[in-house]
Amino acid sequence: MQMFLTILLWMLGILLALLLLLLFCPAVAEVRLNYDKLTVRARILGIPFTVWPQKEKKPQKEKKEPKEKPEPKPKKEKQTPSKKFEFTFSKAVSIASMAGRIMRRFLAALHIRGVKLVLPVSSGDAASTALFYGRFCAFFYGGLATLQNIIDIQAEDINIIPDFGGDNKYRRSFYCKIEATPFIMLGVALYAFKQLKEERIL
């Protein structure tokens, strides 16, 4: 009996250690786009697996089941009226503020590394492409700078190409590595649940 309890304690200790490793070891997702082919791979505890594209399963033949006689529908019982969530302007402002806090915490927990982007841009003829390229670069780099104030983004190589002849569209590619610690994400989820309970949405 004592040996059994010792083995059980060892097993529980190993499971607890694995759970702590899973919570505190960063999870990594690699996103890669080559023209129109998207690949997403994840790695947890050093174990890689493909998230997208998923392998197609062979369709199984459906077994014909004997028809059953329809059962008589049970009588509906009268439900006691429950308190409904009242949506007012003050509630909308409060929910928007709460959603902003939750989103900031969620984004702060993400770390985006090794961003590589090759993006050809074009707009009709060469003259309009040149104008569009200048405007797009101003908008893109301004937006990236704003995002870097919110999210931890490390851009490694960004190459925006004016595609005057339409020959560079197949060079479009994107790669990034997204890291997050499950323990921090769990904390964000618990914070969101608490906020939703306080607002009586859940």
Side-chain angles (χ1 to χ4, degrees), residues 11-115:
M11 290 178 67
L12 289 173
I14 291 169
L15 287 174
L16 181 60
L18 286 173
L19 180 61
L20 289 174
L21 276 174
L22 186 63
L23 285 175
F24 289 96
C25 183
V28 180
E30 291 185 357
V31 181
R32 189 184 300 273
L33 175 68
N34 289 322
Y35 186 53
D36 59 350
K37 185 180 179 182
L38 176 65
T39 305
V40 181
R41 291 180 61 82
R43 188 170 69 250
I44 300 175
L45 293 177
I47 302 171
F49 57 93
T50 301
V51 178
W52 184 267
Q54 297 179 346
K55 292 182 179 179
E56 294 182 359
K57 294 181 179 180
K58 293 181 179 180
Q60 297 179 351
K61 293 181 180 179
E62 295 181 356
K63 294 181 180 179
K64 291 183 179 180
E65 296 181 357
K67 292 182 180 180
E68 296 180 357
K69 293 181 179 180
E71 296 181 0
K73 294 182 180 179
K75 293 181 179 179
K76 292 182 179 179
E77 296 181 357
K78 292 183 179 179
Q79 296 180 350
T80 55
S82 57
K83 292 182 179 179
K84 292 184 178 180
F85 173 75
E86 295 181 359
F87 190 80
T88 59
F89 178 74
S90 61
K91 281 286 184 184
V93 173
S94 178
I95 290 170
S97 176
M98 175 196 64
R101 292 195 301 270
I102 293 171
M103 186 57 65
R104 281 195 298 270
R105 285 174 178 255
F106 175 77
L107 294 176
L110 297 178
H111 306 281
I112 303 176
R113 302 281 187 264
V115 177

Side-chain angles (χ1 to χ4, degrees), residues 45-194:
L45 293 177
I47 302 171
F49 57 93
T50 301
V51 178
W52 184 267
Q54 297 179 346
K55 292 182 179 179
E56 294 182 359
K57 294 181 179 180
K58 293 181 179 180
Q60 297 179 351
K61 293 181 180 179
E62 295 181 356
K63 294 181 180 179
K64 291 183 179 180
E65 296 181 357
K67 292 182 180 180
E68 296 180 357
K69 293 181 179 180
E71 296 181 0
K73 294 182 180 179
K75 293 181 179 179
K76 292 182 179 179
E77 296 181 357
K78 292 183 179 179
Q79 296 180 350
T80 55
S82 57
K83 292 182 179 179
K84 292 184 178 180
F85 173 75
E86 295 181 359
F87 190 80
T88 59
F89 178 74
S90 61
K91 281 286 184 184
V93 173
S94 178
I95 290 170
S97 176
M98 175 196 64
R101 292 195 301 270
I102 293 171
M103 186 57 65
R104 281 195 298 270
R105 285 174 178 255
F106 175 77
L107 294 176
L110 297 178
H111 306 281
I112 303 176
R113 302 281 187 264
V115 177
K116 296 179 182 179
L117 174 67
V118 177
L119 182 61
V121 294
S122 63
S123 177
D125 57 10
S128 58
T129 296
L131 289 172
F132 178 72
Y133 172 75
R135 292 172 184 170
F136 183 85
C137 285
F139 173 79
F140 178 86
Y141 288 110
L144 179 61
T146 304
L147 278 177
Q148 286 177 326
N149 292 328
I150 303 170
I151 314 172
D152 182 14
I153 301 176
Q154 292 183 0
E156 187 173 312
D157 185 18
I158 294 178
N159 190 9
I160 301 175
I161 306 168
D163 192 6
F164 296 106
D167 301 325
N168 292 315
K169 63 179 182 180
Y170 295 106
R171 293 179 59 189
R172 182 176 62 199
S173 65
F174 174 77
Y175 172 83
C176 76
K177 188 184 292 184
I178 304 171
E179 297 178 0
T181 305
F183 179 76
I184 298 175
M185 301 304 289
L186 179 62
V188 174
L190 291 174
Y191 173 79
F193 180 77
K194 179 185 175 184

